[in-house]
Amino acid sequence: MKEQEIKYNNRPQSFNGIEEMVEFLPATNTKKMEKMTLKKKLLIVGIVGVAAIISLIIGLLVWHFVYRNAPVTKAFTGFLTITNKPFIDAYENPKTREFADLSSQVTEVLQNTYRSDPAIGPYLVNINITGFSEGSIITYFLSEFKVPAYKASALDKAMNELKVEPIKLRQMFLIVDAFKAYPTDLHMARQLLDPERCSFYLHSRPGVTTQFSTPGFPHLPYGPNARCQWQLRADADHMILLHFRTFKMEPCKPPRGDYVTVYDSLTVLEPRIMVKLCGSYPPSYNLTFVSSQNVMLVTMVTDHEGKHPGFLAEFTQMPRTTLCGGSFREASGVLSTPFYPAHYPPSRDCIWDIQVPENKHVKIRFLMFYLLEPLVPITTCPNDYVEIHNKRYCGERSPFVVSSNSSRIMVKFHSDESYTDTGFMAEYVSYEPKNPCPDQFTCKSGRCIDLARKCDGWNDCGDSSDEASCNCSALQFRCKTNQVCKPRFFLCDGVNDCGDGSDEQDCQCPDKYLKCRNGKCVPQEQKCDKTDNCGDGTDESECGNAQTTACTQNTYKCDNGECITKLNPQCDGTKDCADGSDEKETSCSCGKRPYSRKTRIVGGVNADIGEWPWQVSLQTQRDGHTCGASLVSPTILLSAAHCFQDAQGIRYSQPNTWTAYLGLHDQKTRTSSSDVVVRKIKKLSANRDFNSYTYDNDIAYLELESPVAYTDFIQPICIPESSHVFPVGRSIWVTGWGALSESGTGAEILQKAEIRIINQTECDKLLDDQLTPRMICAGYVSGGIDACQGDSGGPLSSVETNGQIYLAGIVSWGEGCARRNKPGVYTKVTAMRDWIKQNTGL
Ligand code: 4AZ
């Protein structure tokens, strides 16, 4: 109402204004008045016109001088070859007279060459010779230009097309060849140029391994805002083998953060980057690189924050060879990229010509395949690739098979001049054309799998051919679209196992109802009404900001006694409790893996070193490894009560029967590995309510004789609060050195298996109603492994969305191991939270 009044009042006022002006003009001499008005009008038009032209000119001048003509700085790094001069050692040291002399000669060559091109010459500011290397003499340079903005792209083009001519300099005749220059970041190039500023020049000697590291390693972390370079050289006709023994940099934060770059060149040349590294790698990761020539450059650029140890690297030289591939005439054999498992060298081409006996056919099984380059389409594979039957393969691939319908197959490998990877490792076998997989199932792809894996609900072939045309058993259901049989316990578990959603279709609540985690349906309007209508907290757990509420078993209790409704608020990065206790450092510094990268292992189920640093091996003198356990503090382990039942005259219930091995990976090295810490047990206490018939309350804690220091291999896992929910579909892992098959022997290397939490009701049906509320079920998703004898007491580790890892369960029991439709049973840690707190104080 008020607004309208204002609008009404304003308008007439402004119209009145104009009308008033007209009215006040003298109305007696209309002619004169018209003339005057015309003159005035012309004058105004003239003034406006002139002003417009002036502004246009000013604008153009501003644009010309400030933008179009404004000088921009451009820098190029590159190299050229001097073909009529021998290399001498003194050229390796920028401080020698010989270096200076040759530098000034090449600078002159470059100056003359640039000047001969009008798109380049006038803009040259500076030339720096950054190094020489053998072959004949390769000269590396940095050239700087100042060029009007509008001529910058012409300069780029001219530099790209520039050719150098043989040049006579005073008495010297330099024949130069193979000029190449690439745009570079001047700031970075200049910083690396300064020899006083963290630059190292290293030459490998025959048979000697030369080490280098980030400044201060291993006692001091590397500095912030660092620009370091290590120029590595080998003798003529040699190549360099560079290996990072330790690599612990800041976790990757692309596109910024700390990174180390390895170049197949002596200077920073973008197209010669072999690898860019960040984060940390476990010692088992083969971080080894091979150059194509006798030089390499390692640079390190760090940002302004973080404290990390850095790297320790070493390099050796070996005679240059481009040999690879070859003729293979045996019935079977192995092939791999040059220097596998080191990264293959850049600029290589190999051909394997494989011919098996005439009456057989041949197939190649790629067991490892890593030809990954950043930002390269894996459909066309333009850079590095393997080519068979005119089809290119690249990227990172899980094991696959390529078959030939003849006795011959040709495998081509190509690497371009930038970015290298681990490469591939493959085996070829000959086979009877009529029976490609004796005693096994032949997948459509030619792969062979165990007969037992046919129709088991898992896509073992990779192309689902093992799951086609199966009769579903009583414990299975059939997916709608692809007709594949899947275990019934996959129904309604929130994961789209069929791919078409048909296994999750009839599980929905009616319209306007919300589905609770426990399967109940409640009306939508009950969501976030501060009443736990589901009975499991679902309808109150995702209500924006954490709200305080009455405490129930489904709410998170803060240290100040208040309870909040938010789902899994612990250590999620947001302070939800008024006192901040859900984010307190003491309870959040757990469940972290020191190594961010994974080792690439053949076989798949071996754990990586340092991947499960809370995993403990509990051993007895008589039996060796007997049970697993999880480290939850410097002195406390959690394990299963049933491991500590006296039996066969052995006092398993006594602490002095046991020894704990922490930081262990391979049982063979338990006494020799420096990563392993051994502790006797001071105190052992099983849950008094443990029932040895039902395995209810299967939990125990052990106290180490003395605390352990946390290392890259020893870390605690987080204990979840009782309200913590582990939803289906999230990665959950079981690990241990238990039996590899139901009646098999234990593993030497720590094993891991990705499994899935299974709906309690479904699992109870499968296990004949043996579950109690203190148990959870989890079944395997692929690989056919499960927890088994010897895994008991070990962790069921849940990787939460923030990457932190929580102890969801403790390996407890099962009907056999990895049997179809017989998931493993785990002690539910959330149900034991109070017992843990009362007994350990944690
Ligand atoms: C055992 O005997 C055992 N498949 C542990 C776990 C499972 C089976 C047996 C689960 O310690």
Side-chain angles (χ1 to χ4, degrees), residues 344-479:
Y344 51 78
S347 310
R348 274 296 172 107
D349 282 283
C350 313
I351 295 180
W352 293 264
D353 173 9
I354 301 166
Q355 187 147 25
V356 297
E358 285 291 331
N359 54 346
K360 298 271 175 78
H361 284 183
V362 58
K363 64 181 165 189
I364 300 184
R365 253 186 238 137
F366 287 90
L367 303 173
M368 298 286 276
F369 194 96
Y370 296 102
L371 269 72
L372 196 63
E373 284 198 42
L375 305 174
V376 164
I378 55 163
T379 40
T380 51
C381 305
N383 297 5
D384 299 356
Y385 56 84
V386 165
E387 193 177 300
I388 308 172
H389 297 147
N390 289 323
K391 181 171 161 38
R392 284 186 183 183
Y393 302 85
C394 63
E396 185 174 333
R397 299 179 67 119
S398 36
F400 66 103
V401 176
V402 184
S403 308
S404 172
N405 284 332
S406 74
S407 58
R408 192 165 186 191
I409 200 165
M410 299 272 263
V411 180
K412 283 187 207 161
F413 166 73
H414 170 78
S415 66
D416 70 353
E417 60 182 16
S418 70
Y419 288 104
T420 70
D421 202 345
T422 311
F424 71 78
M425 200 262 282
E427 54 188 23
Y428 74 88
V429 286
S430 50
Y431 64 92
E432 287 293 337
K434 287 203 188 74
N435 184 13
C437 299
D439 302 326
Q440 282 188 305
F441 174 77
T442 310
C443 301
K444 212 168 165 198
S445 62
R447 193 167 160 181
C448 306
I449 59 159
D450 284 348
L451 281 174
R453 296 201 175 186
K454 181 159 166 51
C455 297
D456 66 351
W458 321 110
N459 175 7
D460 300 291
C461 282
D463 57 10
S464 292
S465 53
D466 55 323
E467 298 302 320
S469 356
C470 301
N471 289 327
C472 301
S473 75
L475 294 167
Q476 293 178 318
F477 68 93
R478 192 180 290 281
C479 295

Side-chain angles (χ1 to χ4, degrees), residues 10-189:
N10 272 352
R11 270 193 163 178
Q13 265 178 14
S14 63
F15 277 113
N16 277 347
I18 296 167
E19 280 162 16
E20 271 170 4
M21 259 175 64
V22 178
E23 270 175 28
F24 274 98
L25 284 172
T28 43
N29 188 346
T30 45
K31 268 248 157 88
K32 194 179 167 194
M33 227 185 58
E34 271 171 19
K35 231 175 154 183
M36 247 181 77
T37 333
L38 195 70
K39 244 184 169 177
K40 221 176 184 178
K41 272 185 186 164
L42 281 174
L43 192 68
I44 290 169
V45 169
I47 291 171
V48 169
V50 170
I53 291 166
I54 292 173
S55 346
L56 187 68
I57 292 170
I58 292 174
L60 279 171
L61 286 173
V62 168
W63 173 74
H64 183 74
F65 287 104
V66 177
Y67 297 105
R68 184 171 179 263
N69 215 14
V72 289
T73 304
K74 298 225 74 170
F76 294 82
T77 52
F79 57 87
L80 57 81
T81 310
I82 303 167
T83 54
N84 65 334
K85 239 172 137 27
F87 188 85
I88 54 169
D89 287 349
Y91 292 151
E92 287 188 11
N93 183 352
K95 290 182 181 138
T96 60
R97 203 172 52 85
E98 289 84 350
F99 186 103
D101 286 351
L102 189 59
S103 288
S104 69
Q105 287 171 23
V106 185
T107 305
E108 218 172 314
V109 171
L110 283 171
Q111 271 168 352
N112 290 344
T113 312
Y114 291 154
R115 280 189 193 128
S116 68
D117 191 323
I120 302 174
Y123 314 112
L124 178 65
V125 174
N126 194 18
I127 296 173
N128 266 299
I129 303 302
T130 48
F132 298 106
S133 73
E134 277 158 304
S136 305
I137 302 177
I138 302 173
T139 307
Y140 301 87
F141 59 81
L142 169 69
S143 304
E144 295 173 40
F145 299 90
K146 253 202 172 88
V147 60
Y150 74 102
K151 288 192 170 171
S153 56
L155 173 69
D156 284 344
K157 188 163 175 282
M159 284 296 279
N160 189 28
E161 291 166 359
L162 191 65
K163 299 264 177 300
V164 282
E165 304 289 338
I167 282 181
K168 185 149 188 187
L169 288 168
R170 287 170 238 110
Q171 302 314 314
M172 272 282 309
F173 190 68
L174 279 192
I175 301 183
V176 287
D177 192 10
F179 173 93
K180 271 238 170 276
Y182 306 94
T184 191
D185 173 42
L186 178 63
H187 182 66
M188 165 85 186

Side-chain angles (χ1 to χ4, degrees), residues 630 632 638 717-720 726 795-798 805-810 829:
S630 305
V632 290
L638 292 180
I717 190 169
C718 305
I719 310 172
F726 294 100
L796 181 63
S797 306
S798 170
I805 304 178
Y806 280 74
L807 185 67
I810 295 170
V829 174

